[in-house]
Amino acid sequence: MSASTTPGYEAFSEELGFLLSSTPPPFIYIQSFEALRTTFTVVDALLHDLSRRPTGVDQPSIHCATVDAASCFTPRLFYEGVIHSLIDWIPEWEDGCSIWMPEESTTVRWNENLDTFVHGLVSAQAYLRLRLSQTNSEKRKGKEPDTEVGRNQNVRLVIVIERAEKLKEDHPELLVPLTRLAELARIDLCVIFISQVGWEDVRPPFGASPDPYFVDVPSLTKENISKLLVTNYPSYASPNDNLLETPYHPALASLYPHFITMLCDVCYPFTHNPDELQYIAAARWPGFVKPLIDEYKQALHERRQEDNEVDLDSELPQINVSEDLRIRLIRYFNASFTTALETLLPRQSNAADWASANVPPDNLFSMARPDTGYQQQQPSAQEALAATSSQAGMRSLPRMSKFLLIASFLASTNPAKSDLRMFGRGLDEKKHRRRGARSSGKTKSGVASKIPQRLLGPIAFPLDRILAILGALLEENDVETRLVAREFVVPGEYTDMEIGRVGVYAAITELTSLGLMHRTSPADRLDGPPMFKAAISYDDALALAKELDIALNDLLWDPV
Amino acid sequence: MDEDCNKTSFCIPFDPPEIQIDVPSSPRNALPNSPFSERDLHDGPQLRFEAYRTAWEKCMTRITGIVQELQRSTLDAVVKEVKASYMKTLPALPHPELPIISVVNPALGENLMENICAALESPSNDVTDNEILTSSVIHLRPADFQTISAGMRGIVSGFVDKDPDTEQIKRRASTSLANYDIGTLEAWHRFRSHSQGNIRKPTLCVVLHDFEQIDPDVMQNVFYTCSKASPQLPLIFILVMSSPLTNFINLAYPRSILCRLRIRHFAAPSGPTILQEIWTKTFFDISFDPDVMFGPPLLEYLQDYFNRHNASVDAILTILQLAHLKHFSLEPLRLFVKHTPANTLSQPSAFVDALRVRLRLASKTREKNSMDVDEQDFRAPEDLITAVDKSRTEFHNHARNIRIAFGIIERIQVILERHGHKGLGWSGEKGSSSAPLEAILDILRDRSGRDVKHLVKLTRRLNAHELEDIIDELNTYFFNMPSHVRVQEQETRSHLTLLRSQIPRVDDEDADTENIQALSQRFSDWFSEYMNIKLVPIEEGRLWDIWYTGRTSVVSEILNPSVRASIIAGLLRPYEFQNESSIRSSPITKALWQLPDTSILFKRYLDSSKMINVYDWFESFKSVLDLQRIHLQEAEVSTRSSSPRKKGRSGNRAGKGKQKEPAPMSEEEEERWKTFVHARFIRALHELDYLGLLKHTGRKADHVLRTVFEIDDDGDDGDQLRGPD
């Protein structure tokens, strides 16, 4: 697809194309908030177009390099990425993976630091100019040689840096020189940063960089996204391919725009990223067209039975997507878009697995009431969802780890001063005196109501506190399941023994490495107890508590 | 130290005295001495070690086989997934995804991954389609991912160095791509697929062990870089996770990275079923005779440990091995577990006498019960050998009978459940997955009567279908037994076949219900009688304790000790940790002054209130040290004098009455002694602090907070101050 025809990007392509082909500013900053990858594609296509257009004396030849700042984790990778991309150099194993070397010098290593990189850029430009003049002279063979034109031919370099915000994290020292690269190299050069965040978040301090020329990508409207997705209908299948094996057969293409419109209707409010919508479309489409393919298969089967000698190529049954059929399909599949969105957007499952888990039943249209059919499949999707949800994972933890998680949640939610009141057991077995439940919303005027800790996020607690709470929980809720041990006679002695076991300390470390608890104190600090924070939600804690038969709400200082 | 007493700190270099530690030259291939060493053979530890090794190897081989069987399904699924990773991709995805296979393996151990990798690297038999068939596998661990560069270098060089076909091309560091550049791997892969033709493109598998330990910040960059190269470079990541959390990657990694990955989860079997499978197939399977049987306490402990702390095969293996070790370490007679070495019994010794006594006792008991056994005196060594061999056979028959009985109960229960009965309630909302283990526990504790009675009652009311199924199932069970067992059960088999032949044809509508009831009744009677014969407690056999651990308790403190309790016990009774022998009849009592400094300080700590005044604490410490000095001085004097006993007594009495003042010291000596005590106090204090027994709050000057309260220490310090008589 040409850059100028991408829906929603017409003005953007025109502006950028004009700038780059006339007198580009040395530094351009493109911010694309929603459709970053689409912007990459558009810029790539635009530069590709520009580099292939005819050149002349006043029309410089444009050569571009695209690097992804996120995958250049050392400056050397960045330098090599830029120059190799500029001159289309592919290192080969047979040559010992050697990098490109300018012909005039084999001693200068341009990948060492920024200074040598600038020299490398100049050499690369010279090399490109030479290559250009050679190609031109080859073209003009037979005509009068005009080497002057070739030698003085202007070569413009465009360096596109994708995900430029990563530069600030990984190589902040490169940021200022890159924005001033044209000044440093003194060649015709333009640096383009493309990023999801704004320049104000990337900008180096003290005004060290010149302000860029800003180009903002407008957010895509629903119509534009639909158009974009429709144009992305894969064209790998030819009309001669077997329809039974290719869901993207050209015969089905007429249905695709309707499918995409429906998809956008359901999903656009939740995500504006064309990639995400395309991902959902890729997962749903094979199932969506399956009833049609089934019908086609049946027709083919009948046709074959009628006449065994029929020439298959000439008399294939046709697929007619009638209005009525379309409405039936859409009614049947409408609900599944939401399920797909809920599962696929947070990547609880992948598209291929979702697609195979949500295949509609065979011969859907011959079923009695297909319109209600989708509901029957939902449990399987729910199961897949449940398998990856956090609660399902926690259920398989060892018993002691579950107790520890609840203890960590309590320690992170209750104030430390309330512990004795919440967990202490007096002689008279008094009920826990909890903070009186306040009626919501009614506070004294002028006094801000206290926000419960549950909503403020977990507080850090020391190791001995979680062990103490664990002891209280075990004493109240775990005595029956323990093995009989006659050697413990004093009340609570057994529990005291249990909470000090190596297994408990090991479980705390394991839960921390699993991300179910966070260690807030540095690992190398020996002074004082290690500090932790709970990392499970109230719902997770509640589910665990239910499993272990603990009344969680009775133990919360600020019950829900 | 003497020069300047005002210095706040001293450096005391550690200068260990040249102690010749007299290590008893015990050979490596021997168990520790038995507590009953007086009736042990002189080479008993070695012989028992040999017996232990045979028994444990047999047991471990069996368990390894069971574990491999458990692994099979996961192994096949993962291998299939790896081979198909780059074959069936969903069309029209917005961008290619990097295949990630997460293998959650909390229970089955490292072995699973080794088997998977072996299967991946072996060329597949499926040569029908010329697609990707083999895989090149590299293993990386958390230590390889300290930084992104290190991680990428590990991946790139891992594959390149592994390939034997690639000729080593000289690369100059300055003019070649960096060794962490994915471009190097791409060039290598291009070269390789070019040189080998397009027929066999091996996938590149990166196995990341202990994935949870790898820093997500580093790993997400590695994933990103690899995913950019993904479709051209057939990289597959296999994440090996040992925690049961299936969604770890979703929790720890941001969505922006998850978008680039296609994650498939595979979970190896885990949970209580593993223990059940291993236990029933090792100790309660008719086709396997373990050398040693374990009693209920071990199974109970295993169950508890498995559910509460660590549900893994490694834990089971460790506990079983320790149980084997313990079994063979205790009783000298247990060297007879597998064989009866004739030379051990040829010479008269305490060992032979002990065996003889045991055998005589056993035959006396038998004689009381039944009159048919003659009393033997087991004088000749041959008699002893025969008796031990006979006991061994008896034990194995005995254990086998119990196994057969359990097998029958299990099968009847399965058939009853299949026909919609609750049976013994093994499955259902209350019946946990460990129900068969509970049944085993009941059998071992000789409490299986209830289960048997219940089944007898149930089988009395079977219909023709159920009866037929049960008898068929039991016939198959008997038929599949090893031949030597089957021969012994010939009578039972013919009885069951006869019953089976009398059941009317099922499709016969007007089958005589009374007849069926009578048959059910007969079956039920047979079952009841058979169980009575088979379910005899193992403890009733002669010399049973050689092969069966019975109700011996498990040493749980070794496996999962309580750190705090151990520290406190160490401080309270330091001398008990000194001796090698673990079994002692009475605790060692020592006077307070005889304890090490840290223990003295700790005892005083226990006497104080919640907050301790450090000065008071020091004073009390000093008083004990003063007493210690007197005692030591006295001891010194008494060693010089002729009758140390008398002197010692008088010293004690003096201590009891009024505290005897130390011999008058010069002022200089006094000063030195003070500094000495001070240093010892500070050192002991720091040790307690380091153990986490003190808390500095800063709330009150010169005060520290206790962290240990209410220790149940039965010794009275006041008495101990006086010292032992």
Side-chain angles (χ1 to χ4, degrees), chain B residues 477-492:
Chain B
Y477 176 59
F478 280 114
F479 182 75
N480 290 334
M481 281 178 184
S483 54
H484 64 280
V485 189
R486 200 165 54 212
V487 172
Q488 293 173 357
E489 300 296 326
Q490 203 55 46
E491 200 183 324
T492 319

Side-chain angles (χ1 to χ4, degrees), chain A residues 239 241-245 249 251-252 289-304 312 315-320 363:
Chain A
D241 279 354
N242 187 359
L243 182 75
L244 298 180
E245 286 162 13
H249 195 273
L252 298 167
V289 292
K290 188 171 173 280
L292 292 174
I293 294 177
D294 284 347
E295 217 170 45
Y296 172 80
K297 200 163 144 189
Q298 210 169 1
L300 201 68
H301 186 65
E302 281 167 12
R303 179 77 58 86
R304 277 189 189 150
L312 287 176
E315 284 193 52
L316 279 176
Q318 292 298 309
I319 284 199
N320 297 318
N363 299 322

Side-chain angles (χ1 to χ4, degrees), chain B residues 559-674:
Chain B
L559 293 157
N560 189 13
S562 184
V563 185
R564 212 171 139 94
S566 307
I567 289 176
I568 291 169
L571 286 171
L572 289 177
R573 307 178 188 288
Y575 287 101
E576 307 223 348
F577 287 76
Q578 229 179 16
N579 257 335
E580 269 185 28
S581 170
S582 55
I583 295 168
R584 201 176 297 111
S585 49
S586 61
I588 300 172
T589 42
K590 290 268 180 185
L592 185 61
W593 64 266
Q594 285 173 313
L595 298 177
D597 290 355
T598 321
S599 289
I600 297 174
L601 200 63
F602 183 65
K603 292 248 184 187
R604 286 280 152 266
Y605 166 102
L606 293 178
D607 296 336
S608 93
S609 61
K610 198 176 156 194
M611 287 198 101
I612 310 170
N613 183 322
V614 182
Y615 185 75
D616 293 349
W617 202 10
F618 169 72
E619 284 295 306
S620 68
F621 178 73
K622 188 168 176 286
S623 70
V624 181
L625 285 200
D626 286 341
L627 186 66
Q628 189 181 49
R629 203 161 64 99
I630 299 167
H631 279 287
L632 289 177
Q633 275 175 357
E634 277 175 9
E636 215 174 305
V637 170
S638 65
T639 42
R640 279 188 227 133
S641 74
S642 53
S643 111
R645 218 182 125 105
K646 234 177 177 177
K647 284 273 175 188
R649 272 195 182 168
S650 65
N652 279 341
R653 234 172 265 135
K656 213 173 185 178
K658 66 172 178 99
Q659 291 249 326
K660 192 181 165 189
E661 289 300 315
M665 285 190 285
S666 67
E667 205 166 297
E668 195 183 336
E669 270 179 344
E670 188 112 11
E671 195 62 37
R672 265 175 80 166
W673 171 246
K674 238 180 170 177

Side-chain angles (χ1 to χ4, degrees), chain B residues 40-261:
Chain B
D40 197 0
L41 290 168
H42 78 279
D43 58 347
Q46 285 91 323
L47 287 171
R48 277 183 285 118
F49 182 76
E50 276 307 310
Y52 148 77
R53 220 167 55 180
T54 327
W56 170 239
E57 266 169 21
K58 187 176 173 187
C59 180
M60 196 170 75
T61 318
R62 175 73 178 180
I63 294 179
T64 319
I66 298 166
V67 171
Q68 266 172 3
E69 205 50 49
L70 285 168
Q71 290 173 351
R72 196 160 304 269
S73 62
T74 320
L75 188 141
D76 291 345
V78 172
V79 171
K80 202 173 152 206
E81 173 64 29
V82 170
K83 304 228 163 184
S85 271
Y86 278 93
M87 283 207 252
K88 288 172 194 157
T89 46
L90 199 69
L93 287 174
H95 47 81
E97 295 174 308
L98 180 69
I100 304 280
I101 297 166
S102 85
V103 182
V104 176
N105 176 25
L108 299 183
E110 282 262 302
N111 187 258
L112 170 67
M113 226 39 237
E114 283 166 20
N115 292 344
I116 289 179
C117 296
L120 283 177
E121 286 186 297
S122 66
S124 163
N125 300 325
D126 180 25
V127 203
T128 44
D129 46 358
N130 293 334
E131 295 289 335
I132 297 165
L133 291 174
T134 53
S135 307
S136 185
V137 184
I138 60 166
H139 299 259
L140 293 175
R141 284 162 203 286
D144 299 319
F145 287 91
Q146 299 291 342
T147 60
I148 310 166
S149 313
M152 287 307 295
R153 189 179 302 130
I155 293 175
V156 172
S157 58
F159 285 116
V160 173
D161 297 347
K162 196 181 174 173
D163 186 14
D165 304 336
T166 318
E167 41 194 293
Q168 279 303 314
I169 290 170
K170 275 192 182 168
R171 288 192 290 147
R172 295 222 323 265
S174 55
T175 58
S176 308
L177 291 183
N179 59 359
Y180 49 77
D181 192 343
I182 192 130
T184 312
L185 193 61
E186 282 173 324
W188 168 77
H189 184 69
R190 266 199 309 277
F191 167 76
R192 212 162 159 239
S193 19
H194 188 68
S195 63
Q196 296 184 347
N198 284 332
I199 306 165
R200 310 187 100 198
K201 273 191 211 156
T203 46
L204 307 176
C205 273
V206 185
V207 180
L208 302 179
H209 294 270
D210 299 328
F211 180 69
E212 298 101 325
Q213 316 279 331
I214 301 180
D215 184 7
D217 288 338
V218 173
M219 206 53 223
Q220 71 185 50
N221 280 307
V222 173
F223 278 149
Y224 184 83
T225 314
C226 291
S227 78
K228 296 230 28 162
S230 162
Q232 287 79 35
L233 204 59
L235 274 169
I236 298 167
F237 282 85
I238 301 182
L239 320 178
V240 187
M241 296 192 246
S242 58
S243 65
L245 212 62
T246 46
N247 60 333
F248 170 73
I249 189 162
N250 290 63
L251 284 180
Y253 287 79
R255 207 187 72 88
S256 56
I257 286 301
L258 295 179
C259 283
R260 308 195 67 92
L261 315 175

